[in-house]
C-alpha cells in the first residue's frame, strides 16, 4: 500500500490522531490486543539477498554506538508509553514481544533483557505473554540462552536457512550448519520454545538439497518451522549478480515443488500449516506475534525503520474516513538515536488508512492463515468469486459452505492471485 505524500509527517511529540481514542460507546480500542516489536539493526555481515534495514560495523561508521543501543531503544519505549497513554491506550498489557533484525543476539543478552524489562515496566506483560528473539546459530551460547530465558523470553527463532554448505555460501550465511542441532538443544535446555527458519529457491539449490535441509530440521525435533521462498529484491547484491548472469533464479515450478515437498514432510512429521509459510506442532507453538499482524492487532515498533499500527475504534467518526494509522521510523541508527536524544519522535512519516484500505489489508492478510476469514468480510461485489475459486481448487469447498474463505494447498501456492480476485 502506498504511503501518503512525504508532506505527511509524524508530530514531533509522536502524538496520534484524536480519533484513535476509545470512548465509552467504543471500548474496543482499549481492549484490543497490543504487541511490541523491537528492531535491532546490527549484523556481523550483510547477506547478499538481504534488503532489511540492517548495518554492519563498517557500514555504520562513527556515531551509531551499538553498546548504547539498549539505552536508545528504551528512550523510544518511554516515548511510546507517553503517546499511548495520551491517546487513552496506555493501560493494555503487552501480549507479545518480538526482537527482530538484523541479529538481535549481536547485543549482549543482558541488553536484550534490559529492553524487555523496560517494556514490562511501561505496560506490563500479560499473563503468558510470548517473548521471541531471532538469532543466528553462531550468535548464542548456552549461557546467553539461559540468561534470556531467566529474563522472560519464551521463544527463539534461529535463522538456519539451509543445511547445505554450498547453499549457505550462495546466501552468504556465515554459520556452520552442524551447529544447528547444538543450539536447538541449548535453547530447549534453557526452557525456550524453538523455531527454525528456512529459505528455499536459492540459485543452485536442487530439490535434493532442499530435502536435506528439511530432514535436518525434522531431526532436531523442533515444534515450529518457517519456510520462505527467496525473493531477490532490487538493490541487493544478489539482484546485481542475477542481472549480470552470475546467478540463475529457479522457475516457478521449482519453487512450487519445493513448497509441496516442505508441506508433505512437515505435515507428515506432525507440524501443521497455520499460515502460508509457517508450520507448528500445535496451536500452542504457533508464533502469536506474527498472528497478531495477520489479524490486524495494534503494535508499536521500536527501532530504526520499525513500523507501528493502531486501529480506530469501531465507532470513529466519520466512519468513511478513518480506520487506522500506520507510521514508521527513520531508517539510519544515527538519525534515530539523535532524534530520541533530543526528545523528538523518530517517526519519519505516517499514513491514515481509510476503511477501504483497511478492508483490503484484512483480506490480504486474513486469507493467509489456516482459519481464513468470513465470506461476509469480503466486499459484497467479490463474494460471488468464492464459488469460482472453489471450482478451480484454490479455496476449500467445505469451508466455503460454512461461510469461510480458506486456502487449499494449491491456493497457498497462488495466494496472491486469490487475493486479487477477492478484492475490488
Amino acid at each position: 500500500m502506498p504511503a501518503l505524500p512525504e508532506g505527511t509527517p509524524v508530530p514531533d511529540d509522536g502524538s496520534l490522531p484524536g480519533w484513535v481514542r476509545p470512548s465509552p460507546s467504543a471500548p474496543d480500542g482499549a481492549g484490543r490486543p497490543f504487541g511490541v516489536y523491537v528492531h535491532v539493526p546490527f549484523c556481523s555481515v550483510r547477506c547478499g539477498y538481504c534488503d532489511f534495514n540492517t548495518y554492519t560495523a563498517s557500514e555504520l561508521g562513527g556515531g551509531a554506538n551499538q553498546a548504547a543501543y539498549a539505552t536508545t531503544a528504551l528512550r523510544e519505549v518511554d516515548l511510546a508509553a507517553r503517546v499511548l497513554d495520551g491517546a487513552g491506550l496506555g493501560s493494555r498489557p503487552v501480549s507479545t514481544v518480538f526482537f527482530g533484525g538484523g541479529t538481535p543476539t549481536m547485543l549482549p543478552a543482558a541488553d536484550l533483557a534490559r529492553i524487555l524489562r523496560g517494556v514490562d515496566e511501561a505496560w506490563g506483560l500479560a499473563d503468558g505473554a510470548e517473548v521471541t528473539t531471532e538469532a543466528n546459530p553462531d550468535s548464542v551460547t548456552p549461557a546467553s540462552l539461559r540468561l534470556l530465558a531467566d529474563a522472560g523470553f519464551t521463544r527463539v527463532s534461529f535463522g538456519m536457512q539451509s543445511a547445505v554448505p554450498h547453499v549457505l555460501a550462495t546466501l552468504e550465511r556465515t554459520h556452520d550448519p552442524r551447529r544447528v542441532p547444538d543450539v536447538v538443544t541449548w535453547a530447549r535446555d534453557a526452557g525456550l520454545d524453538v523455531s527454525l527458519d528456512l529459505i528455499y529457491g536459492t540459485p543452485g539449490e536442487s530439490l535434493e538439497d532442499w530435502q536435506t535441509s528439511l530432514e535436518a530440521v525434522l531431526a532436531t525435533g523442533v515444534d515450529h518451522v518457517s519456510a520462505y521462498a527467496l525473493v531477490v529484491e532490487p538493490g541487493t547484491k544478489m539482484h546485481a549478480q542475477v542481472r549480470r548472469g552470475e546467478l540463475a533464479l529457479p522457475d516457478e515450478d521449482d519453487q512450487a515443488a519445493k513448497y509441496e515437498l516442505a508441506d508433505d514432510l512437515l505435515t507428515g512429521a506432525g507440524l501443521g500449516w497455520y499460515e502460508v509459510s509457517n508450520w507448528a506442532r500445535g496451536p500452542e507453538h504457533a508464533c502469536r506475534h506474527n498472528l497478531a499482524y495477520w489479524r490486524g492487532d495494534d503494535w508499536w515498533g521500536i527501532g530504526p525503520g520499525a513500523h507501528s499500527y493502531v486501529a480506530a475504534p469501531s465507532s470513529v467518526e466519520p466512519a468513511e474516513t478513518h480506520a487506522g494509522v500506520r507510521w514508521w521510523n527513520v531508517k539510519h541508527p544515527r538519525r534515530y538515536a539523535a532524534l530520541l536524544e533530543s526528545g523528538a519522535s523518530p517517526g519519519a512519516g505516517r499514513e491514515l488508512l481509510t476503511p477501504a484500505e483497511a478492508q483490503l489489508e484484512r483480506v490480504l492478510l486474513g486469507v493467509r492463515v489456516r482459519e481464513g476469514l468470513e465470506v461476509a468480510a469480503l466486499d459484497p461485489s467479490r463474494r460471488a468469486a468464492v464459488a469460482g475459486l472453489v471450482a478451480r481448487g484454490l479455496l476449500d469447498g467445505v469451508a466455503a459452505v460454512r461461510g469461510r474463505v480458506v486456502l487449499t494447498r494449491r491456493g497457498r501456492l497462488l495466494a496472491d492471485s486469490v487475493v486479487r480476485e477477492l478484492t475490488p
Side-chain angles (χ1 to χ4, degrees):
M1 179 175 296
L4 290 184
E6 293 182 2
T8 307
V10 174
D12 286 345
D13 63 358
S15 58
L16 298 172
W19 44 260
V20 305
R21 177 179 292 276
S23 67
S25 61
D28 56 303
R32 209 167 36 246
F34 173 54
V36 172
Y37 172 75
V38 181
H39 186 68
V40 180
F42 309 114
C43 281
S44 58
V45 298
R46 176 176 289 281
C47 300
Y49 65 91
C50 180
D51 73 332
F52 294 162
N53 189 44
T54 64
Y55 303 84
T56 65
S58 61
E59 289 172 325
L60 279 172
N65 189 343
Q66 185 171 320
Y69 187 73
T71 296
T72 302
L74 287 170
R75 287 194 176 108
E76 190 178 0
V77 170
D78 290 342
L79 171 76
R82 292 195 303 272
V83 168
L84 291 175
D85 188 60
L89 295 168
S91 61
R92 297 176 295 176
V94 176
S95 301
T96 63
V97 186
F98 195 101
F99 288 72
T103 307
T105 44
M106 281 196 67
L107 294 183
D111 281 1
L112 299 179
R114 183 177 161 217
I115 296 171
L116 179 60
R117 187 165 61 250
V119 170
D120 188 19
E121 291 171 353
W123 297 287
L125 295 176
D127 291 341
E130 175 192 271
V131 182
T132 303
T133 185
E134 294 180 333
N136 284 346
D138 55 2
S139 67
V140 298
T141 66
S144 70
L145 291 166
R146 285 195 301 271
L147 196 157
L148 291 174
D150 290 344
F153 284 77
T154 64
R155 292 178 80 249
V156 60
S157 180
F158 288 113
M160 176 180 172
Q161 316 313 358
S162 176
V164 179
H166 80 84
V167 175
L168 289 171
T170 300
L171 292 171
E172 300 185 75
R173 303 291 293 186
T174 59
H175 68 270
D176 183 340
R178 293 172 296 184
R179 184 179 173 89
V180 170
D182 291 336
V183 299
V184 170
T185 297
W186 298 344
R188 286 181 146 179
D189 287 348
L192 297 167
D193 207 357
V194 182
S195 174
L196 291 176
D197 294 352
L198 294 172
I199 290 176
Y200 61 91
T202 299
E205 178 190 58
S206 67
L207 192 63
E208 291 74 22
D209 290 333
W210 178 232
Q211 182 166 340
T212 295
S213 294
L214 290 166
E215 290 173 347
V217 165
L218 293 175
T220 68
V222 293
D223 297 313
H224 187 284
V225 177
S226 300
Y228 300 103
L230 178 67
V231 176
V232 181
E233 299 288 355
T236 61
K237 178 181 175 182
M238 184 173 283
H239 184 266
Q241 292 173 308
V242 170
R243 191 177 63 246
R244 292 194 299 263
E246 297 169 8
L247 295 175
L249 292 177
D251 59 27
E252 291 182 359
D253 289 342
D254 179 87
Q255 297 275 43
K258 287 172 179 170
Y259 182 88
E260 290 173 340
L261 179 61
D263 194 47
D264 286 341
L265 293 181
L266 295 172
T267 300
L271 287 87
W273 81 280
Y274 69 93
E275 190 275 338
V276 169
S277 300
N278 290 273
W279 290 258
R281 202 168 298 280
E284 69 276 16
H285 296 293
C287 180
R288 297 189 341 241
H289 186 83
N290 284 340
L291 282 171
Y293 292 148
W294 294 318
R295 292 169 177 165
D297 292 344
D298 291 354
W299 80 89
W300 192 295
I302 303 292
H307 284 58
S308 304
Y309 174 76
V310 171
S314 58
S315 67
V316 66
E317 298 292 343
E320 68 275 9
T321 303
H322 300 132
V325 55
R326 178 184 292 111
W327 66 99
W328 50 93
N329 287 342
V330 296
K331 285 190 170 184
H332 202 280
R334 283 203 300 271
R335 178 64 175 156
Y336 170 77
L339 285 166
L340 285 165
E341 190 170 358
S342 72
S345 165
R350 73 182 185 187
E351 57 183 342
L352 310 180
L353 275 65
T354 67
E357 291 167 335
Q359 171 65 11
L360 174 63
E361 292 194 1
R362 182 181 179 191
V363 176
L364 176 68
L365 299 174
V367 299
R368 294 185 61 87
V369 296
R370 185 163 194 157
E371 67 197 53
L373 73 162
E374 295 179 353
V375 173
L378 300 175
D379 185 278
S381 68
R382 305 311 304 154
R383 293 172 190 170
V386 171
L389 291 166
V390 169
R392 287 153 52 195
L394 301 176
L395 293 181
D396 184 291
V398 174
V401 169
R402 295 173 178 168
R404 297 200 70 81
V405 175
V406 177
L407 295 172
T408 61
R409 185 161 83 170
R410 183 163 180 264
R412 282 182 265 157
L413 289 167
L414 299 169
D416 291 343
S417 298
V418 173
V419 168
R420 283 195 293 271
E421 295 196 36
L422 293 178
T423 50

